[in-house]
Amino acid sequence: MAVPIAVLDCDLLLYGRGHRTLDRFKLEDVTDEYLVSTYGFPREFIYYLVDLLGASLSRPTQRSRAISPETQILAALGFYTSGSFQTRMGDAMGISQASMSRCVANVTEALVERASQFIHFPEDEATVQSLKDDFYGLAGMPGVLGVVDCTHVAIKAPNAEDLSYVNRKGLHSLNCLMVCDARGVLLSVETHWPGSLPDCTVLQQAALTSHFEADLHKDGWLLGDSSFSLRTWLMTPLHIPETPAEYRYNMAHSATHNVIERTFRTIRSRFRCLDGSKGTLQYSPEKSSHIILACCVLHNISLEHGLDVWSSPAMGHMEQPEEEYEQMESMDSEACRIRQELLLTHFS
């Protein structure tokens, strides 16, 4: 006689069938202050995420103890903003650490699936012009569509043989390429590049470069620092400014480009799983890349909902490795002509 094999739920083993722990935590029973301090976001924002992701997180099940979308989202937010699977957080919601991990995976994939909905360059002319006007208002740099830079996020070593993720500081990381607007809203994010790749190589191989070299944005450019090469669509600082116009250009460039450094700081400040203070992301490069992207999606959604008063405390242990690069002026004569025209027209 065949003996049926039971599929055991770890929460069932921990709490017993009669213990209704998954139903005991209700958003309406706690204060906004508690939600912000524990999960990083206020009640209305969490309700929005439940509406946005609920269909993806509600899976058919034969069990009466399926974890609700609301609980999954709280578990994931708790991890993103604290960087750890704290037992007290799981206890507060009535789920085990293993279930916490599954919740993070589910919510991460649901957010990644919606990345293009929240992270993209504007397409209509009015919004593009507004983008340029916002940047011009910062320091007088015209024609800017976004500022671009890379930042490293620490991950666990994939395996002993794979050195492609070892950065210049000897740590394993992902080198993430991002573009933001004047408010810090992310317009492009690529989180999968191995930490051993220098910023200039990441940009050369990035989908972002293909996008701009296809002339999809003919009337503007990105701003990048000196780790990148000057291109027709990417304005970099002058290596050795000599004239007053060149100094003014470099100062405006630096003040405008600083927006993305502030954006990196605020993302790490809110999503402590990325700042290294709790250790590296304990996942494969692919899963770590998805977690970073999910946090970037949440960053944009939070700005969309007016949650843009961000503190910027000192960062954790994983700072971006300092690049040691040779400043090379572009051999692209057209790019040089465009920058020179910009100097003469707006900074002379």
Side-chain angles (χ1 to χ4, degrees):
M1 178 178 174
V3 178
I5 299 175
V7 178
L8 299 180
D9 182 350
C10 58
D11 292 310
L12 184 61
L13 290 174
L14 284 171
Y15 300 110
R17 188 171 296 279
H19 196 78
R20 291 172 48 82
T21 52
L22 294 183
D23 300 323
R24 75 184 185 188
F25 186 92
K26 299 293 184 183
L27 277 175
E28 57 268 24
D29 293 339
V30 296
T31 65
D32 256 7
E33 289 75 14
Y34 172 81
L35 291 172
V36 171
S37 65
T38 307
Y39 304 106
F41 293 95
R43 187 186 326 275
E44 291 306 315
F45 184 86
I46 296 170
Y47 280 140
Y48 172 81
L49 292 181
V50 173
D51 290 339
L52 177 69
L53 307 177
S56 298
L57 300 176
S58 299
R59 292 181 170 82
T61 177
Q62 299 300 314
R63 297 177 293 139
S64 61
R65 297 177 55 79
I67 301 176
S68 69
E70 182 179 288
T71 300
Q72 292 184 62
I73 288 168
L74 288 172
L77 292 179
F79 169 72
Y80 296 148
T81 57
S82 73
S84 64
F85 294 117
Q86 297 177 359
T87 302
R88 64 175 180 82
M89 188 179 298
D91 287 347
M93 293 185 294
I95 62 175
S96 65
Q97 181 171 317
S99 292
M100 284 276 293
S101 182
R102 289 198 302 272
C103 291
V104 171
N106 293 340
V107 174
T108 295
E109 291 311 304
L111 287 167
V112 167
E113 288 171 1
R114 291 160 176 78
S116 61
Q117 177 182 344
F118 295 99
I119 302 175
H120 56 81
F121 281 93
E123 295 180 356
D124 63 282
E125 290 185 11
T127 308
V128 170
Q129 187 57 51
S130 177
L131 189 67
K132 294 178 183 178
D133 292 344
D134 288 345
F135 275 118
Y136 188 79
L138 294 179
M141 180 70 75
V144 180
L145 298 170
V147 289
V148 59
D149 207 347
C150 290
T151 187
H152 286 254
V153 175
I155 63 172
K156 73 172 183 178
N159 57 61
E161 290 75 29
D162 189 352
L163 300 180
S164 65
Y165 292 93
V166 179
N167 62 39
R168 292 192 63 261
K169 290 189 173 181
L171 304 174
H172 290 82
S173 68
L174 291 168
N175 195 3
C176 305
L177 179 72
M178 301 187 192
V179 179
C180 74
D181 70 7
R183 280 204 314 129
V185 175
L186 296 167
L187 305 175
S188 178
V189 174
E190 299 183 34
T191 59
H192 62 283
W193 298 102
S196 65
L197 293 180
D199 294 358
C200 59
T201 303
V202 168
L203 184 62
Q204 286 170 2
Q205 300 178 11
L208 177 70
T209 294
S210 300
H211 183 81
F212 272 83
E213 290 189 344
D215 286 334
L216 297 179
H217 297 287
K218 298 180 180 179
D219 299 320
W221 41 71
L222 303 179
L223 295 188
D225 63 19
S226 298
S227 61
F228 302 118
S229 296
L230 179 71
R231 300 169 186 248
T232 56
W233 49 269
L234 179 65
M235 294 293 103
T236 60
L238 288 131
H239 180 36
I240 304 177
E242 297 177 346
T243 68
E246 291 175 345
Y247 276 102
R248 284 192 288 269
Y249 166 85
N250 270 14
M251 289 179 64
H253 188 293
S254 176
T256 306
H257 188 267
N258 187 51
V259 170
I260 198 159
E261 297 300 332
R262 295 202 305 270
T263 300
F264 288 157
R265 289 197 296 270
T266 53
I267 290 173
R268 290 177 184 274
S269 173
R270 171 151 286 181
F271 303 108
R272 302 306 295 268
C273 68
L274 307 181
D275 78 350
S277 63
K278 299 291 185 180
T280 63
L281 285 174
Q282 296 297 301
Y283 298 93
S284 68
E286 180 182 8
K287 289 185 177 180
S288 296
S289 171
H290 285 188
I291 288 172
I292 300 166
L293 182 54
C295 290
C296 290
V297 173
L298 287 172
H299 167 77
N300 274 11
I301 297 175
S302 69
L303 292 181
E304 188 178 285
H305 283 73
L307 303 178
D308 52 1
V309 182
W310 292 45
S311 61
S312 298
M315 293 300 99
H317 302 99
M318 185 56 192
E319 296 293 343
Q320 179 175 354
E322 296 180 6
E323 293 280 353
E324 289 185 5
Y325 50 79
E326 286 188 36
Q327 171 75 47
M328 295 182 294
E329 288 299 321
S330 174
M331 300 302 291
D332 186 335
S333 59
E334 179 63 11
C336 292
R337 184 195 66 77
I338 290 174
R339 186 170 66 179
Q340 188 61 30
E341 183 178 323
L342 182 60
L343 281 163
L344 294 173
T345 305
H346 293 278
F347 296 98
S348 295

